[in-house]
Amino acid sequence: MEILKAENWSLKSLLSLKGVTAMIFTASAVAGVATVGVSSSIASSDKIVSGVRFEGKELKGLNTVAAENFFKKEADKKIHALTFTYGDKTFEVKPEDIALTPQTKKAVDEAESFGRGGGTWTNLRDQIRCAMGGREVKLTATYNEDSLRQKVNEMAAQINTQPANAYCNLLADGTIERFPGVIGKKLDTEKVVESLKDGLISLNLPSGNIELQPEETQPFITTEDVANIDAIIGSYSTNYYPGSRGDNIWIAANALCDKIVRPGWTFSFNDTVGERTYEAGYQNAGVIVNGQADVGVGGGVCQVSSTLYNAVLLAGLTPTERTPHYFKSTYIGAGRDATVADGLIDFKFRNDLPHNVYLLAFASGSTLSVYILGTRADLNGASISIEREGSDMSPSVYRVYTKDGQVIKDEYLHTDTYHTAKS
């Protein structure tokens, strides 16, 4: 009997457990159907699902129209004019100038896409993930890059500056005027345009002024280069007759003017003046070719190199390459000339003084003058003169330094030999 009771109890218990399981299964099935129904309902509506955010702001429940209004307001907060500055200059680029347009519809479509577009179970899975982990929507914009480039180019036109050399001017009373150099400025417009790209697309526009930073180019002769120039340390003048020869002298003198020679530099007359050609404006005038008087383009330029040579000697500079004429010159003393010829004969000197020297050359009327400006203290109070020994046909030339009436240095320079012109 007791065994029978036990069997009856087990059977009842088993029937009872099956019932509970069936009830649980039934309840779960009902819940699943309900959940799937809710998911399908959400997926078919025009409201944004839970967990979708824009910059931390919940978008849940917004329909298409409300979402469009939301993103339009957010875009209005972000879009403003761009202000650029450089020195005392200010430039403004308005949103309409570059057709800056927020992509609000794209943002709305992205917000509404979460939890939609797939199958029922896929939508359910995405909605759960979105609700639990959140999804961030981006608001981007488009703009006209060519219009932006044009605006930046307009800024550059007001900023860009060509470098200009500092220079010296000599007044009639011997006073030296110094004028500062101009640092060149060039705005890299493509760099500016590229630097704005990400901010414009993401609507993360700079809130403050955008400082433009053009590249700077120092002039060849800077303000500092002429800062210590305070005196004429050497000068020399010669006379010429106007005409084609005088025109050639003027061209060459003009090429010498406003040149600087820094300490340790060697100055080349030919490299500085350039080739004497018709294209450069030179004319035919008297020259000496192979010991014979002739006519050639650039005749008269040797007078410029010879005048420069004497100014160099009197300034205490160091001649490094110098050649006398075949015949003694009529415009300058024997032993004090320096002939030149394109590609063949050059006149060169080196600046061994502590500071820069600055060349000025003027040809006006019938007078050619070369001035070498420098720092008075570089000569230590000495005066320089040129002396000659020997005949006009074979002169020896010396440079003599004197101070307080005493000779402190007597420098032998050269002995020349001139030829006699054949009759």
Side-chain angles (χ1 to χ4, degrees):
M1 285 294 293
E2 292 194 11
I3 294 173
L4 181 60
K5 287 180 180 180
E7 288 176 352
N8 290 336
W9 181 84
S10 296
L11 181 59
K12 289 178 181 180
S13 298
L14 180 60
L15 291 172
S16 176
L17 288 172
K18 287 182 178 180
V20 171
T21 301
M23 290 175 65
I24 293 173
F25 177 78
T26 301
S28 297
V30 171
V33 170
T35 301
V36 170
V38 171
S39 174
S40 298
S41 175
I42 293 174
S44 61
S45 75
D46 66 346
K47 293 184 178 181
I48 298 172
V49 302
S50 177
V52 179
R53 302 182 185 91
F54 173 73
E55 295 184 350
K57 298 174 183 178
E58 180 70 47
L59 305 181
K60 175 186 175 181
L62 295 181
N63 61 22
T64 301
V65 174
E68 286 177 350
N69 289 333
F70 170 83
F71 282 114
K72 184 178 182 303
K73 289 179 181 179
E74 292 298 315
D76 289 342
K77 295 177 186 177
K78 293 174 173 291
I79 293 178
H80 57 77
L82 300 175
T83 302
F84 301 82
T85 60
Y86 177 70
D88 59 354
K89 291 179 169 51
T90 301
F91 311 93
E92 185 178 79
V93 176
K94 298 177 181 179
E96 56 266 29
D97 293 337
I98 58 174
L100 182 61
T101 306
Q103 300 298 286
T104 53
K105 184 178 184 306
K106 181 179 178 182
V108 171
D109 290 345
E110 181 183 357
E112 291 180 341
S113 68
F114 295 114
R116 293 184 173 88
T120 300
W121 290 105
T122 299
N123 288 340
L124 175 60
R125 179 198 62 195
D126 290 346
Q127 291 166 17
I128 293 172
R129 288 179 177 176
C130 191
M132 295 180 64
R135 292 291 187 274
E136 189 71 20
V137 177
K138 293 181 179 180
L139 175 60
T140 60
T142 60
Y143 67 98
N144 189 313
E145 186 174 296
D146 288 338
S147 297
L148 175 61
R149 184 175 289 104
Q150 180 181 345
K151 284 293 182 181
V152 176
N153 284 334
E154 291 172 2
M155 301 176 205
Q158 297 188 50
I159 293 174
N160 291 351
T161 305
Q162 289 295 323
N165 286 333
Y167 66 97
C168 297
N169 187 35
L170 185 61
L171 300 181
D173 62 358
T175 301
I176 297 172
E177 292 181 313
R178 295 188 299 267
F179 295 87
V182 176
I183 298 174
K185 307 282 195 318
K186 185 175 182 180
L187 184 65
D188 188 338
T189 55
E190 288 305 314
K191 184 177 180 180
V192 174
V193 170
E194 185 64 25
S195 70
L196 297 169
K197 182 176 182 179
D198 290 343
L200 290 171
I201 291 175
S202 65
L203 281 180
N204 185 24
L205 279 61
S207 58
N209 293 339
I210 304 168
E211 185 178 353
L212 298 172
Q213 298 179 325
E215 297 175 356
E216 294 187 349
T217 302
Q218 290 289 340
F220 180 74
I221 302 176
T222 67
T223 302
E224 293 72 21
D225 284 333
V226 300
N228 292 313
I229 292 176
D230 59 7
I232 301 171
I233 60 173
S235 66
Y236 202 76
S237 296
T238 57
N239 296 318
Y240 61 89
Y241 292 104
S244 58
R245 177 185 170 85
D247 291 343
N248 292 339
I249 288 173
W250 183 89
I251 294 172
N254 194 54
L256 283 183
C257 201
D258 296 313
K259 297 299 185 291
I260 197 162
V261 186
R262 295 182 171 87
W265 281 20
T266 295
F267 178 95
S268 165
F269 182 90
N270 283 346
D271 288 349
T272 303
V273 172
E275 291 188 22
R276 278 68 82 182
T277 63
Y278 296 118
E279 292 75 14
Y282 288 98
Q283 303 175 40
N284 285 330
V287 295
I288 302 297
V289 179
N290 297 322
Q292 300 292 323
D294 202 346
V295 173
V297 62
V301 170
C302 289
Q303 184 166 343
V304 181
S305 58
S306 296
T307 306
L308 173 63
Y309 173 52
N310 282 264
V312 163
L313 291 179
L314 294 171
L317 301 171
T318 307
T320 58
E321 186 176 327
R322 173 261 174 188
T323 303
H325 284 82
Y326 188 82
F327 300 124
K328 186 173 73 68
S329 300
T330 58
Y331 55 80
I332 205 162
R336 300 180 67 161
D337 58 330
T339 187
V340 290
D342 285 341
L344 296 173
I345 305 171
D346 199 1
F347 167 61
K348 297 179 180 180
F349 70 88
R350 186 176 63 245
N351 178 12
D352 289 330
L353 299 177
H355 294 93
N356 298 331
V357 296
Y358 189 88
L359 306 186
L360 290 175
F362 307 105
S364 178
S366 60
T367 301
L368 166 65
S369 297
V370 175
Y371 299 89
I372 299 181
L373 311 183
T375 304
R376 181 180 288 104
D378 286 354
L379 297 181
N380 297 316
S383 298
I384 301 175
S385 61
I386 307 301
E387 297 185 4
R388 191 195 79 182
E389 291 181 351
S391 67
D392 282 356
M393 301 306 292
S394 185
S396 295
V397 180
Y398 299 82
R399 177 161 55 177
V400 180
Y401 294 75
T402 60
K403 184 177 181 180
D404 299 328
Q406 300 294 320
V407 175
I408 59 174
K409 184 179 180 182
D410 189 347
E411 179 185 6
Y412 168 76
L413 296 175
H414 52 76
T415 298
D416 295 333
T417 299
Y418 295 106
H419 297 80
T420 303
K422 295 179 181 179
S423 58

